[in-house]
């Protein structure tokens, strides 16, 4: 047994290596859902409409290295952008680390299994429709709140003390 502190507890987002950064993604697919923003208030609403590149079962991008060739406005998460993205779900590891919180029990870095995010029911798996199958005028009909809900048994540990 090792007493080594995991990188997400010992490093800030900006201190992480590219592989550490990528491993923080839990594969939930929530950031790849289309969102609607109210012009007047700036409020952002999630829809159950996924990006055309997102696989609805694996919740992974089908063309991750080349995604900007097909989706030029795809938002790339970076350490600099994370604090600005208020719409990141409360379960997002990037948001949790930014806020000094621990990862959830189902995160693959904790569980060792990339399927636990789906088993825990916190991913978009099986709950979405491709943007190719919905008219833009109908997006409002697909607004959902489940990406923003967290059950009590999903709560991570309290903030990490530095």
């Amino acid at each position: 047994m090792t007493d080594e502190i995991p990188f997400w507890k010992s490093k800030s987002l900006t201190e992480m290596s590219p592989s550490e950064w990528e491993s923080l993604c839990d594969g939930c697919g929530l950031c790849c859902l289309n969102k609607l923003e109210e012009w007047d208030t700036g409020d952002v609403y999630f829809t159950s409409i996924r990006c055309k590149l997102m696989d609805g079962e694996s919740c992974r991008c089908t063309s991750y290295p080349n995604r900007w060739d097909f989706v030029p406005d795809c938002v790339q998460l970076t350490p600099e952008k994370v604090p600005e993205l208020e719409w990141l779900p409360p379960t997002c590891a990037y948001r949790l680390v930014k806020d000094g919180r621990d990862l959830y029990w189902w995160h693959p870095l904790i569980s060792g299994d990339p399927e636990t995010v789906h088993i825990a029911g916190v991913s978009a798996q099986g709950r979405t429709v491709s943007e190719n199958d919905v008219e833009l005028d109908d997006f409002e009909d697909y607004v959902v709140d489940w990406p923003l809900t967290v059950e009590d048994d999903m709560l991570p540990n309290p903030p990490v003390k530095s």
Side-chain angles (χ1 to χ4, degrees):
M1 187 163 157
T2 178
D3 289 335
E4 187 175 323
I5 299 173
F7 72 88
W8 62 89
K9 290 184 179 185
S10 63
K11 294 183 178 182
S12 69
L13 294 175
T14 57
E15 295 170 327
M16 292 181 189
S17 70
S19 63
E20 289 170 337
W21 174 265
E22 289 293 325
S23 72
L24 269 186
C25 175
D26 60 25
C28 70
L30 299 181
C31 62
C32 297
L33 298 178
N34 281 270
K35 293 159 245 354
L36 301 176
E37 182 176 357
E38 279 194 31
W39 290 98
D40 297 343
T41 64
D43 291 344
V44 176
Y45 300 93
F46 276 84
T47 71
S48 59
I49 304 168
R50 68 181 180 270
C51 170
K52 63 186 173 185
L53 296 180
M54 183 179 134
D55 180 285
E57 286 305 306
S58 71
C59 297
R60 295 291 184 169
C61 183
T62 58
S63 188
Y64 187 71
N66 305 308
R67 61 194 182 276
W68 293 292
D69 294 342
F70 306 101
V71 183
D73 61 347
C74 177
V75 175
Q76 180 177 7
L77 293 182
T78 65
E80 296 75 28
K81 286 183 186 172
V82 167
E84 301 169 10
L85 299 174
E86 297 293 326
W87 52 261
L88 287 174
T91 55
C92 176
Y94 298 103
R95 182 177 183 171
L96 292 169
V97 170
K98 173 192 74 78
D99 293 342
R101 300 186 68 85
D102 202 355
L103 303 180
Y104 291 89
W105 63 266
W106 44 260
H107 192 287
L109 289 171
I110 302 291
S111 70
D113 181 356
E115 292 300 310
T116 51
V117 67
H118 308 305
I119 293 166
V122 294
S123 75
Q125 186 181 57
R127 303 197 231 189
T128 62
V129 60
S130 173
E131 65 187 4
N132 289 337
D133 299 331
V134 180
E135 294 293 325
L136 188 56
D137 289 342
D138 295 334
F139 273 37
E140 287 182 6
D141 296 338
Y142 291 83
V143 170
V144 293
D145 65 356
W146 50 261
L148 301 173
T149 58
V150 182
E151 301 299 324
D152 287 344
D153 62 345
M154 293 292 149
L155 293 175
N157 297 329
V160 176
K161 302 289 184 203
S162 298

